Amino acid sequence: MSFLNWLTSLFKPKPPARNISGLAGTDAIEVEEHVDLSGGPLKPKQLRLATQDKRLLPKAKKAIDPRNWVPRKKPKIMPREEADRRFSESLRTSNRKISTLASDVEQLERYGLPIWNSEADIAAALEMSTSQLRHFSIHRQRETSPHYVTFAIRKRTGGHRLIHAPKTRLKRIQRQLNELLVSRLPVSDAAHGFRAQRSVATNAEPHVGKQVVIKLDLADCFPTIHYGRVRGMLISLGYSYEVAAVLSLLCTEAERQPVAADGKTYFVPIGPRVCVQGAPTSPGLCNAVLLRMDRRLAGLAKKFDFQYTRYADDLTLSGDDASKAKVLIRLAKEIVQDEGFRLNSKKTRVVRHGQRQRVAGVVVNDQKGLSRTERRKLRAAIHQLDPADEKSARHLRGKVAYLAMLSEQQAAPLRAALAVKLSGDA
């Protein structure tokens, strides 16, 4: 730079400070940070407090007299491994408002959730070391040994569904998380899938005998619940940024594609980390993330004197005034989109009482149960059963037990016929 250019630069206005936390090296400039240190609510109308990890807050600058300046060793805030982990790609974030958050113990106690303040607490709860926990909760751009086995199954309606099955050790961890955490997350009363004491029978019960049944379907429900949503939900429930990020990494995965390079095969992510189909934690997290949408749809249904339930990604509304169906569908679509999801328009159905009204496979016209056609097929299978065929006998017992869960009245004659057949008196 010439002397004239240098002299000119002294009189130029300084550019405004900006957040460039994603940059590193000599190109970084001083960042003007605004961190809420009041400890008030994290968001308006929330009980979750913006508790801060004081180690990560910007330190106040002290005036230094150059005449009496003595070099002093900087205090050690955290161990080197923890610092490397916190600023690694897995836990890095440009959002300063959440990166410094500590756990809000009162909020966690309010929801009855385990009190975890750090990775060490999670590792202790899962009965493993911190290094083992980090092995399973890391996002690599070039994975040599993925934690999931990926395969596709054919859909009944055509196409394929991608399944990510966690390997043995990760599956054990996710099952532990299901018991310790996911099963305790707040869920709407309208949700009936993947819950204890709930089933397709309880999901169908409110819709029995209604004049009109509206069936809606969420498109790509699990893939829409990405890592950021899970992390944000856990933070709102009281967990620190570190704990929420680690738990979200344990429960999500990105679709990966094998790439050969340098004589090795790497598995490279080709999309965001999401709640994958195949992970034991995905259904419970789905119910928790959909809590607000369920409450809004239940409120909409109540306003129109309708009933609302959800089983996984199947939404059902029912009532006695068919003229309200069109308005309900339009308003429900707006709510679903406002919550960051979308409806599968190909699966939207309005079924009146004169047609076969089926909710998640259960017929609800006059009573919940199976259709007459399905019961006749089951009766024929019992009639043709070879009593020596134990596999077929177990299959039919299961079918009859399922029908009994829906309707004991429909199951009684079939159970009696099966008992006679297996006794050899037929």
Side-chain angles (χ1 to χ4, degrees):
M1 178 184 291
S2 66
F3 175 78
L4 181 60
N5 291 337
W6 173 78
L7 188 62
T8 304
S9 67
L10 294 179
F11 298 94
K12 286 184 177 180
K14 292 183 179 181
R18 56 194 178 91
N19 188 345
I20 54 170
S21 56
L23 299 180
T26 57
D27 294 333
I29 64 173
E30 185 177 353
V31 178
E32 182 182 352
E33 297 177 311
H34 299 281
V35 180
D36 181 14
L37 303 179
S38 66
L42 182 61
K43 289 184 179 181
K45 299 181 180 180
Q46 274 196 359
L47 295 176
R48 204 276 195 222
L49 300 179
T51 50
Q52 302 290 337
D53 187 339
K54 295 181 180 180
R55 301 176 304 165
L56 304 174
L57 297 178
K59 304 301 182 288
K61 294 182 179 180
K62 298 181 180 179
I64 299 176
D65 185 352
R67 295 170 297 180
N68 301 323
W69 179 77
V70 178
R72 290 181 298 178
K73 187 177 180 180
K74 291 184 177 180
K76 191 173 183 180
I77 297 175
M78 63 179 67
R80 174 66 179 272
E81 291 104 0
E82 185 180 352
D84 290 342
R85 169 67 166 170
R86 222 172 224 290
F87 297 100
S88 66
E89 186 175 359
S90 298
L91 299 189
R92 190 186 306 146
T93 178
S94 60
N95 190 343
R96 183 76 178 191
K97 291 182 179 180
I98 66 170
S99 65
T100 60
L101 285 176
S103 292
D104 183 350
V105 176
E106 289 185 3
Q107 178 82 335
L108 293 173
E109 291 176 343
R110 194 176 294 120
Y111 285 105
L113 299 176
I115 310 299
W116 294 334
N117 297 303
S118 64
E119 278 188 303
D121 292 341
I122 302 175
L126 297 176
E127 301 175 343
M128 60 173 58
S129 66
T130 304
S131 60
Q132 289 175 325
L133 175 67
R134 289 173 179 171
H135 171 71
F136 291 103
S137 59
I138 190 170
H139 179 74
R140 295 186 178 92
Q141 294 295 339
R142 298 199 308 170
E143 180 68 80
T144 56
S145 180
H147 297 305
Y148 290 80
V149 176
T150 306
F151 57 93
I153 59 175
R154 189 181 298 276
K155 292 182 180 180
R156 185 181 60 180
T157 55
H160 293 82
R161 178 178 285 109
L162 204 60
I163 303 298
H164 292 76
K167 294 181 180 178
T168 304
R169 294 175 66 191
L170 179 58
K171 183 180 287 187
R172 179 181 61 82
I173 293 171
Q174 290 179 342
R175 284 175 173 168
Q176 285 179 290
L177 283 177
N178 247 348
E179 181 179 352
L180 297 173
L181 173 68
V182 178
S183 62
R184 303 182 184 183
L185 295 176
V187 179
S188 167
D189 288 337
H192 291 261
F194 317 111
R195 295 184 63 188
Q197 309 301 321
R198 299 290 182 96
S199 65
V200 290
T202 61
N203 180 66
E205 183 65 37
H207 308 293
V208 174
K210 301 297 183 181
Q211 292 300 311
V212 60
V213 173
I214 303 171
K215 300 167 62 177
L216 307 173
D217 181 85
L218 294 177
D220 300 324
C221 182
F222 281 5
T224 308
I225 303 174
H226 52 73
Y227 163 81
R229 278 190 164 181
V230 178
R231 185 185 67 185
M233 176 196 64
L234 294 174
I235 288 175
S236 70
L237 294 176
Y239 285 111
S240 67
Y241 172 79
E242 176 190 4
V243 171
V246 170
L247 292 172
S248 302
L249 288 167
L250 286 172
C251 299
T252 60
E253 173 61 328
E255 183 180 348
R256 295 179 179 270
Q257 181 173 328
V259 175
D262 303 327
K264 293 184 179 180
T265 300
Y266 298 98
F267 296 86
V268 181
I270 57 175
R273 295 185 71 97
V274 298
C275 287
V276 293
Q277 297 191 55
T281 51
S282 291
L285 289 174
C286 173
N287 280 339
V289 171
L290 290 173
L291 170 63
R292 189 170 69 171
M293 188 193 78
D294 284 338
R295 286 177 173 174
R296 293 181 67 183
L297 289 174
L300 174 68
K302 185 177 180 180
K303 182 178 179 180
F304 284 80
D305 199 22
F306 269 57
Q307 298 291 327
Y308 166 75
T309 63
R310 178 180 60 80
Y311 191 91
D313 56 359
D314 293 330
L315 318 179
T316 307
L317 299 104
S318 66
D320 294 322
D321 190 348
S323 64
K324 298 177 181 178
K326 189 174 181 179
V327 178
L328 267 172
I329 292 174
R330 176 176 61 81
L331 295 176
K333 182 178 180 181
E334 291 178 2
I335 291 175
V336 169
Q337 290 178 344
D338 188 46
E339 293 296 326
F341 294 85
R342 62 186 180 89
L343 292 178
N344 185 348
S345 57
K346 295 181 179 179
K347 293 186 177 181
T348 299
R349 298 283 186 275
V350 178
V351 188
R352 289 169 173 77
H353 194 68
Q355 304 167 286
R356 181 180 296 168
Q357 295 173 328
R358 193 188 295 268
V359 176
V362 181
V363 176
V364 295
N365 287 75
D366 299 310
Q367 61 173 329
K368 64 179 187 294
L370 297 179
S371 66
R372 185 177 301 173
T373 302
E374 291 170 315
R375 282 179 280 145
R376 284 175 176 173
K377 289 181 178 179
L378 183 54
R379 186 182 295 109
I382 293 173
H383 178 71
Q384 298 171 3
L385 173 66
D386 180 0
D389 189 349
E390 295 183 2
K391 183 178 180 180
S392 296
R394 286 196 302 269
H395 177 73
L396 290 176
R397 284 197 190 98
K399 286 274 192 180
V400 173
Y402 172 73
L403 178 57
M405 177 187 69
L406 301 178
S407 172
E408 179 61 35
Q409 181 182 351
Q410 292 182 359
L414 295 175
R415 185 190 292 112
L418 181 60
V420 170
K421 188 71 175 182
L422 293 176
S423 67
D425 298 336

